[in-house]
């Protein structure tokens, strides 16, 4: 009954009569996943199925696993793809030599998995200064991460605002250039991006003449509201960018850690899903009494 669906899903109709021993690894996994997913098991165990195959098929597998989970069945997904785990799973387990070392929300477990791999957990310094390179016509010279009151820090509570101060030098006139900051989570996913265009209305798509800056030294600052980021480790990338050209200078691997010390924000009234932890204002009123 499921034969036609399995063949269609695996996209190997042309080779269905070819002995499986002659399949490539991608074709073999396509067919194997299609069989397993369409037999409606109570528990679907998937081990690195997304390691092979093209992007379109990987996305189709993700959707299929999500459909299986929505039907009330269990999907046990084994993978080294942090992005796939964060998108698909509601809970993650970290194994080390066959032992469970962590069982929690996916991003929390991913942080524990990534931190020992040589990537610094947080910045050693909250104030950074960079050597002048005269050949650069636009250069970031300093970065300072601090709390709202100005104290430099790389560790923040979820209720703390994070202030980013960027010093930069321009050695020529730029008709269009802006300073910005991008935030990435522990799996490299861009969580948020902002720049000094945020509060300015521009008239043309090419933004010509919107941000002219003369040669000289500049200081820029932006304050990230709180709560904005879920607990975890984040990388800040500070950059100077020219529209339609790209980055002219940037500094990355600036790490900050956000924690929920009281534990009240994330868990009340339920665990928040999504990349951002930004609360929004709601208005609810009764329109009619029953």
């Amino acid at each position: 009954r499921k034969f036609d669906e399995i063949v269609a899903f695996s996209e190997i109709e042309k080779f269905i009569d070819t002995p499986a021993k002659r399949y490539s690894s991608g074709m073999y996994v396509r067919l194997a996943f299609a069989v397993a997913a369409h037999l409606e098991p109570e528990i679907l165990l998937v081990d690195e199925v997304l390691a092979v195959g093209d992007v379109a098929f990987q996305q189709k597998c993700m959707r299929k696993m999500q459909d299986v989970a929505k039907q009330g069945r269990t999907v046990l997904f084994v993978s080294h793809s942090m992005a796939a785990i964060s998108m698909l799973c509601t809970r993650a387990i970290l194994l080390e030599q066959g032992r469970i070392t962590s069982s929690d929300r996916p991003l929390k477990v991913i942080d524990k998995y990534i931190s020992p791999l040589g990537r610094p957990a947080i910045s050693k310094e909250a104030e950074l200064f960079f050597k002048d390179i005269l050949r650069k016509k636009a250069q970031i010279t300093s970065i300072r991460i601090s709390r709202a009151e100005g104290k430099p820090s790389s560790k923040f509570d979820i209720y703390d605002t994070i202030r980013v101060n960027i010093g930069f030098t321009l050695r020529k006139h730029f008709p269009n250039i802006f300073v910005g900051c991008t935030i990435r989570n522990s799996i490299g996913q861009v969580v948020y991006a902002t720049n000094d265009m945020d509060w300015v209305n521009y008239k043309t798509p090419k933004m010509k003449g919107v941000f002219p800056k003369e040669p000289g030294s500049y200081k820029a600052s932006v304050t990230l509201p709180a709560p904005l980021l879920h607990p975890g480790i984040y990388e800040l990338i500070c950059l100077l960018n020219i529209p339609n050209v790209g980055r002219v200078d940037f500094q990355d691997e600036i790490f900050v850690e956000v924690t929920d010390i009281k534990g009240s924000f994330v868990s009340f009234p339920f665990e928040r899903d999504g990349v951002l932890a930004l609360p929004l204002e709601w208005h609810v009123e009764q329109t009619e009494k029953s």
Side-chain angles (χ1 to χ4, degrees):
R1 289 187 294 108
K2 298 285 185 179
F3 184 85
D4 290 340
E5 290 182 52
I6 291 170
V7 173
F9 186 93
S10 63
E11 300 176 359
I12 59 170
E13 294 95 334
K14 295 180 181 179
F15 310 99
I16 197 63
D17 294 324
T18 302
K21 65 181 180 181
R22 296 181 183 175
Y23 284 4
S24 67
S25 59
M27 293 168 62
Y28 192 87
V29 170
R30 279 171 175 261
L31 184 57
F33 179 84
V35 171
H38 285 82
L39 293 186
E40 300 180 358
E42 288 300 314
I43 300 175
L44 177 61
L45 174 58
V46 183
D47 189 352
E48 293 290 7
V49 68
L50 301 181
V52 295
D54 55 42
V55 173
F57 185 74
Q58 292 178 8
Q59 292 176 343
K60 187 159 68 169
C61 289
M62 290 283 287
R63 290 194 295 268
K64 186 62 178 178
M65 287 187 282
Q66 289 172 335
D67 290 342
V68 171
K70 289 177 181 178
Q71 293 169 10
R73 288 178 278 153
T74 299
V75 179
L76 181 56
F77 179 59
V78 183
S79 178
H80 290 92
S81 170
M82 301 299 102
I85 289 175
S86 67
M87 290 173 59
L88 180 66
C89 301
T90 57
R91 193 162 194 85
I93 295 173
L94 177 61
L95 298 175
E96 185 174 349
Q97 297 182 350
R99 296 178 178 271
I100 296 176
T101 59
S102 180
S103 176
D104 209 323
R105 291 167 60 91
L107 287 180
K108 287 187 177 181
V109 177
I110 288 169
D111 281 339
K112 292 182 180 180
Y113 172 70
I114 290 178
S115 294
L117 300 182
R119 181 178 180 180
I122 57 172
S123 304
K124 294 181 179 179
E125 300 178 34
E127 286 188 281
L128 302 168
F129 299 92
F130 307 100
K131 183 179 179 180
D132 284 341
I133 302 177
L134 298 180
R135 61 180 173 79
K136 288 187 175 182
K137 300 304 180 183
Q139 179 185 357
I140 293 175
T141 55
S142 65
I143 297 173
R144 188 173 188 266
I145 313 297
S146 67
R147 301 179 188 275
E149 67 274 14
K151 181 180 179 181
S153 178
S154 57
K155 291 187 177 182
F156 300 87
D157 181 68
I158 196 169
Y159 292 106
D160 292 332
T161 58
I162 302 175
R163 190 169 183 82
V164 182
N165 298 274
I166 304 171
F168 62 97
T169 296
L170 303 181
R171 297 185 174 92
K172 56 168 280 190
H173 168 79
F174 284 90
N176 293 299
I177 193 169
F178 60 82
V179 56
C181 181
T182 298
I183 304 170
R184 293 197 299 207
N185 60 18
S186 55
I187 62 173
Q189 180 182 20
V190 174
V191 174
Y192 190 70
T194 181
N195 56 59
D196 66 342
M197 296 192 301
D198 279 359
W199 294 103
V200 177
N201 294 319
Y202 51 87
K203 296 181 179 179
T204 64
K206 294 184 178 180
M207 297 176 284
K208 290 183 177 179
V210 177
F211 291 96
K213 290 185 175 69
E214 300 301 324
S217 297
Y218 292 81
K219 289 184 178 179
S221 65
V222 64
T223 300
L224 305 179
L228 176 67
L229 303 173
H230 281 294
I233 297 170
Y234 296 88
E235 179 186 14
L236 302 185
I237 304 165
C238 299
L239 54 92
L240 296 172
N241 204 321
I242 297 177
N244 302 318
V245 174
R247 297 176 179 176
V248 290
D249 194 32
F250 72 95
Q251 296 293 338
D252 58 359
E253 295 191 349
I254 303 164
F255 295 91
V256 298
E257 182 177 15
V258 178
T259 59
D260 186 5
I261 297 175
K262 297 178 182 178
S264 58
F265 181 82
V266 174
S267 59
F268 180 83
F270 48 79
E271 290 191 352
R272 292 175 180 265
D273 291 326
V275 176
L276 296 177
L278 179 65
L280 301 177
E281 184 177 353
W282 284 67
H283 295 279
V284 179
E285 60 181 23
Q286 185 177 13
T287 58
E288 184 178 340
K289 291 184 179 181
S290 60

